[in-house]
Amino acid sequence: MQNDWIEYTLGELCERVSVGHVGPTTEFFCEAFEGVPLIRSMNVKPGKLVTHNIAYVTKEFHRKLKKSQLKPHDILIVRVGANRGDCCVVPKGVGEINCANIVFARPKDKSGYLGYFFRSPLGQGVLQSFSTGAAQGVINTGSIECIKINCPSLSDQKKIACILSAYDDLIENNNQLIQLLEDMAEGIYKEWFVRFRFPGYEQTKFFNKEGSEVVYGTKGAIPEGWQKSQLKNHIKYFRGKSYSSAELRENEGLAMLNLKNINRQGGFRRDGLKYFEGKYNPNNEAYTGDIIMAVTDMTQEREIVGRVARVPDMGIDKFIISMDLIRIEPLKLPKAFMYCFFRFSKIGFQLKEFANGANVLHLTPSLIGFQKVIMPDIKVCESFVKIIEPILTEIDFLNNKNQILQDTRDLLLPRLISGKLSVDHIGLPEKELQMAAEPDENYK
């Protein structure tokens, strides 16, 4: 630690340290368009506020909960459960927002330094030291204000936050571009294969289920050459490997794809890899470009089963897939098309209806083959793939860039927060330096 750093308590560094509403909330839930977002533990992930499964409460209930209303730059910390200690910062421009059963701290300095402190191994260790209980575990909110934090000068805090936020900003920009590309891929797929507005559709004949020619747009009609048949005529599947914890390794062995590699909306997550060392057969293997599907779901939201991901180019020669996944192999149609079919059509929701189980949902893979679907002419598919493959390749490229940025940021984070890496030689824009140098009666 640097000699000129000063120790403060969290209470001294913040305008307020508190806990969100503790008590019943479900009776106040409402539709998004008429309510206010309510942040809960499931919405707080390391460094990111997740909003895809957010709940909304009535505006009246929000106004009543004045003490748990949040502001931009507030630090949110999960206080209960296996993920206790996970934290993120409320971003700018969120509007009215409230929270329940999470700790939040409102820093006096808005540079973002404190948020990065709590994301670092040092900050995580401090938070866990205030945790009580063995099974669930609870971070003691009554004494969290007394957490001691060694801090550099305000200008150095600003420098550290600027360095780390530069990586986060690049990652977020790439994520936004990835989302645009995925939206584009979905839009093209639906235009061609849902609305049947593929190139040349004006000159294509359409037939109803009785086999009579009809005009484009007739309900239930499909283009000439397209087929409605069971999925088993178009794909085959391969089950994943059943394994024991004794066969898993720490960053060595064969990379194993598992449920954590599939996003809730579909698509691939790079940070979920496990590593396996043991016996397996060739059917358990997967390679770049392969399609994997979740057939088990252990999430609270029950959103994973039936979702698919495309194995990206990660510089890994071969993967093993876990027992929670299957690999889908097209029989005739191109993989890129079949991936988009499973990703962007309604097939995932249909398959989810066949999953069963109380604590863990499970989809029997053989049931997939019985689903009746409309499959296009192979020439249309090939034309589609020429357009879609570069988009999927660019998504992989951006995700790989993000992984490098994340790895670099995560290497810098503990060294900057601990003072092992000096920022004395780094300059800040004049405006930032003036803000960092502004006097504060309570925080010098």
Side-chain angles (χ1 to χ4, degrees):
M1 184 62 62
Q2 300 292 329
N3 293 329
D4 57 346
W5 288 30
I6 301 174
E7 186 177 81
Y8 297 94
T9 65
L10 182 63
E12 291 173 325
L13 295 171
C14 294
E15 298 173 13
R16 187 176 170 206
V17 179
S18 187
V19 64
H21 172 69
V22 178
T25 55
T26 53
E27 61 187 293
F28 303 102
F29 284 4
C30 64
E31 297 295 331
F33 66 88
E34 60 184 11
V36 174
L38 181 74
I39 305 302
R40 299 169 291 169
S41 296
M42 65 180 68
N43 302 118
V44 178
K45 302 298 179 186
K48 187 173 184 180
L49 185 64
V50 178
T51 58
H52 78 271
N53 57 354
I54 206 163
Y56 290 81
V57 292
T58 63
K59 292 182 179 179
E60 181 182 359
F61 188 61
H62 166 70
R63 287 191 291 268
K64 182 180 177 182
L65 301 181
K66 290 184 179 179
K67 292 184 178 180
S68 56
Q69 292 176 5
L70 300 174
K71 295 181 179 181
H73 307 290
D74 284 355
I75 301 166
L76 310 181
I77 303 170
V78 177
R79 63 181 286 266
V80 181
N83 296 327
R84 65 189 180 278
D86 283 359
C87 64
C88 68
V89 174
V90 177
K92 297 177 183 177
V94 293
E96 290 187 306
I97 192 169
N98 216 303
C99 67
N101 205 27
I102 55 176
V103 175
F104 68 94
R106 186 161 297 154
K108 295 174 183 176
D109 168 50
K110 310 303 182 187
S111 69
Y113 174 83
L114 269 183
Y116 285 113
F117 171 82
F118 283 117
R119 284 169 61 182
S120 72
L122 178 61
Q124 286 290 296
V126 172
L127 285 174
Q128 296 306 325
S129 70
F130 280 78
S131 177
T132 59
Q136 272 288 87
V138 179
I139 291 178
N140 190 332
T141 52
S143 56
I144 199 170
E145 279 189 272
C146 301
I147 286 177
K148 293 180 180 179
I149 302 171
N150 283 297
C151 297
S153 65
L154 278 175
S155 61
D156 280 359
Q157 288 183 44
K158 180 76 72 173
K159 291 177 183 180
I160 291 169
C162 279
I163 293 168
L164 296 171
S165 64
Y167 284 92
D168 281 339
D169 289 345
L170 286 170
I171 291 168
E172 182 57 29
N173 288 340
N174 285 340
N175 283 335
Q176 290 179 12
L177 184 51
I178 289 167
Q179 188 60 56
L180 285 172
L181 290 168
E182 291 195 336
D183 290 346
M184 185 188 303
E186 181 176 7
I188 295 170
Y189 174 85
K190 289 183 175 178
E191 184 73 359
W192 286 37
F193 303 109
V194 177
R195 304 181 191 97
F196 300 140
R197 295 174 64 90
F198 50 88
Y201 79 94
E202 300 95 336
Q203 291 79 42
T204 301
K205 295 179 180 180
F206 285 78
F207 296 88
N208 61 20
K209 57 185 176 182
E210 286 79 27
S212 301
E213 185 176 350
V214 293
V215 298
Y216 167 78
T218 302
K219 186 175 181 180
I222 63 173
E224 184 178 23
W226 295 36
Q227 300 176 8
K228 187 170 186 178
S229 61
Q230 291 182 325
L231 259 175
K232 65 183 180 182
N233 297 318
H234 304 282
I235 63 167
K236 56 183 177 180
Y237 67 87
F238 300 93
R239 292 177 179 270
K241 167 69 180 173
S242 178
Y243 63 94
S244 68
S245 57
E247 294 175 299
L248 296 181
R249 298 290 181 267
E250 188 70 31
N251 295 325
E252 61 180 27
L254 284 169
M256 173 175 271
L257 305 173
N258 58 89
L259 280 181
K260 290 185 178 180
N261 291 115
I262 298 184
N263 287 314
R264 282 178 166 82
Q265 291 78 37
F268 194 85
R269 277 184 59 193
R270 281 163 166 70
D271 58 355
L273 284 178
K274 294 179 180 178
Y275 291 88
F276 169 84
E277 194 170 273
K279 294 182 179 180
Y280 63 93
N281 65 61
N283 287 341
N284 304 139
E285 298 172 357
Y287 297 86
T288 298
D290 281 348
I291 304 164
I292 54 174
M293 175 185 284
V295 292
T296 302
D297 195 339
M298 293 178 281
T299 65
Q300 286 183 333
E301 298 82 14
R302 298 293 193 263
E303 293 179 341
I304 295 292
V305 71
R307 300 293 190 180
V308 297
R310 181 175 182 261
V311 181
D313 183 357
M314 299 173 65
I316 297 174
D317 293 333
K318 178 172 65 178
F319 299 85
I320 303 299
I321 58 173
S322 78
M323 58 186 172
D324 301 310
L325 307 176
I326 58 172
R327 176 171 61 86
I328 295 173
E329 191 71 29
L331 295 177
K332 295 180 181 179
L333 299 177
K335 277 186 184 179
F337 165 77
M338 290 303 300
Y339 166 67
C340 291
F341 164 75
F342 280 105
R343 175 77 189 277
F344 301 130
S345 73
K346 295 181 179 179
I347 188 67
F349 295 104
Q350 294 173 20
L351 294 174
K352 184 178 176 180
E353 297 301 315
F354 292 92
N356 55 61
N359 297 321
V360 178
L361 277 182
H362 182 73
L363 172 65
T364 303
S366 60
L367 295 176
I368 298 171
F370 294 112
Q371 301 305 301
K372 282 194 172 182
V373 295
I374 297 171
M375 285 294 166
D377 175 86
I378 192 166
K379 290 183 179 180
V380 176
C381 282
E382 289 171 347
S383 297
F384 172 76
V385 167
K386 287 179 182 178
I387 296 172
I388 219 70
E389 192 66 60
I391 295 175
L392 299 178
T393 301
E394 182 66 12
I395 290 171
D396 284 351
F397 172 73
L398 290 170
N399 274 317
N400 284 337
K401 281 183 66 176
N402 270 0
Q403 190 62 56
I404 294 170
L405 290 167
Q406 289 170 21
D407 291 345
T408 307
R409 179 202 62 200
D410 292 344
L411 284 171
L412 287 172
L413 178 59
R415 295 179 62 80
L416 288 168
I417 292 298
S418 65
K420 290 180 180 178
L421 189 61
S422 173
V423 294
D424 291 343
H425 63 289
I426 296 174
L428 281 175
E430 189 66 27
K431 181 180 178 181
E432 300 287 350
L433 286 170
Q434 288 174 359
M435 290 172 63
E438 286 178 359
D440 190 310
E441 293 180 1
N442 299 312
Y443 177 31
K444 298 179 177 59

